[in-house]
Amino acid sequence: MDLDQWHIEFRHDSPQDIALGRDREPEVFKFSKAVDLAKFLADDTNDDAIRFHSFIDDKLDANTDVAVWRRKRTKLSSLPQFKRYRANEYESYHQAARSVANGQPASKEVLLFQGLEKEICGSSIIIPSGQVLFHGKASRDLTSMTPYPSFISATLHPVVARNSAFRRAGVDNQLGYPILYVLTVGLGLPALWGHVGGSAEWELLLPSSLTVVEKSEYSGRNFLVIEAEITKRG
């Protein structure tokens, strides 16, 4: 699915706008690349991300490729590990993956890691080479650790990734500096679809041990944008 071409338009000619004398020309934002949209958000001083959020939600809801992935997704009732991961054991699974990669896992951690990895690898959703995804983080571990030892919770929604980066950085960036990764998938990858129930995340959970190579970076007013490519698995 194409997450590069964005034409975002806000109209101001409703009957209410006209009655109140607030009607004016539409605001139009055009981005030919996903990374350009990410850079705009990085320098945003007008809270445009708030308006963009709902606009992008609507676009993804109407996307035919999204509809295909929704139909292909494995039901949560058949994914006990993913269900636990999404509920309240997110960090337990990531710690298990890191322990396995370090060669010093507890037996419980092996079961957690292998269980979730198996569910991801058994997914009917295969992210094609060339697909753009987003990921919010507060460290450069994604590209500095090769391969990245844990699972990658990617999203189709750039503002969701931005919000995730801010959340992980903490108040006044006490836990790190927010980074929005714009990821290009360089090989076919299985993924679990996490946009179910009351979720607003547009999540695609990728397997562990991916090599992510940095291509460029942009230091914005609000956060860092890193453009990177997933080049290898295992």
Side-chain angles (χ1 to χ4, degrees), residues 81-218:
Q81 304 293 336
F82 188 44
K83 191 174 182 179
R84 288 174 60 187
Y85 168 89
R86 294 181 72 252
N88 56 12
E89 296 190 48
Y90 173 92
E91 185 52 39
S92 296
Y93 282 94
H94 284 287
Q95 181 56 49
R98 291 190 290 266
S99 295
V100 169
N102 290 335
Q104 297 179 320
S107 56
K108 179 182 178 181
E109 290 179 319
V110 173
L111 292 175
L112 287 177
F113 169 75
Q114 290 181 344
L116 185 55
E117 184 83 358
K118 182 179 179 180
E119 289 182 355
I120 296 172
C121 294
S123 175
S124 297
I125 295 176
I126 304 297
I127 309 299
S129 178
Q131 179 64 52
V132 171
L133 301 172
F134 304 94
H135 177 70
K137 207 167 177 62
S139 75
R140 304 180 79 116
D141 290 354
L142 201 65
T143 51
S144 64
M145 302 179 74
T146 305
Y148 185 68
S150 193
F151 312 100
I152 299 175
S153 179
T155 177
L156 298 173
H157 201 307
V159 180
V160 167
R162 162 202 178 269
N163 295 345
S164 180
F166 285 151
R167 183 175 65 252
R168 289 173 172 171
V171 178
D172 296 326
N173 296 340
Q174 292 180 353
L175 303 178
Y177 193 77
I179 301 172
L180 195 162
Y181 282 91
V182 181
L183 301 173
T184 299
V185 177
L187 68 165
L189 288 175
L192 288 177
W193 180 259
H195 192 69
V196 294
S199 173
E201 300 300 308
W202 297 98
E203 179 187 25
L204 287 160
L205 185 63
L206 307 180
S208 66
S209 301
L210 299 178
T211 294
V212 185
V213 177
E214 181 175 331
K215 299 297 184 181
S216 69
E217 80 171 55
Y218 175 78

Side-chain angles (χ1 to χ4, degrees), residues 18-84:
I18 295 172
L20 295 174
R22 299 187 310 203
D23 55 306
R24 53 193 172 97
E25 292 298 311
E27 296 175 87
V28 178
F29 303 85
K30 293 183 180 181
F31 307 99
S32 60
K33 293 290 184 180
V35 70
D36 297 327
L37 171 54
K39 290 176 180 178
F40 178 88
L41 295 173
D43 288 323
D44 176 25
T45 58
N46 298 315
D47 291 329
D48 283 316
I50 297 173
R51 298 190 298 165
F52 282 16
H53 197 145
S54 58
F55 185 96
I56 295 171
D57 273 335
D58 292 342
K59 285 293 185 181
L60 291 174
D61 268 327
N63 189 290
T64 55
D65 292 321
V66 167
V68 170
W69 284 358
R70 273 187 172 132
R71 289 195 297 270
K72 283 186 174 183
R73 75 172 181 87
T74 309
K75 303 295 184 183
L76 280 181
S77 58
S78 301
L79 299 169
Q81 304 293 336
F82 188 44
K83 191 174 182 179
R84 288 174 60 187

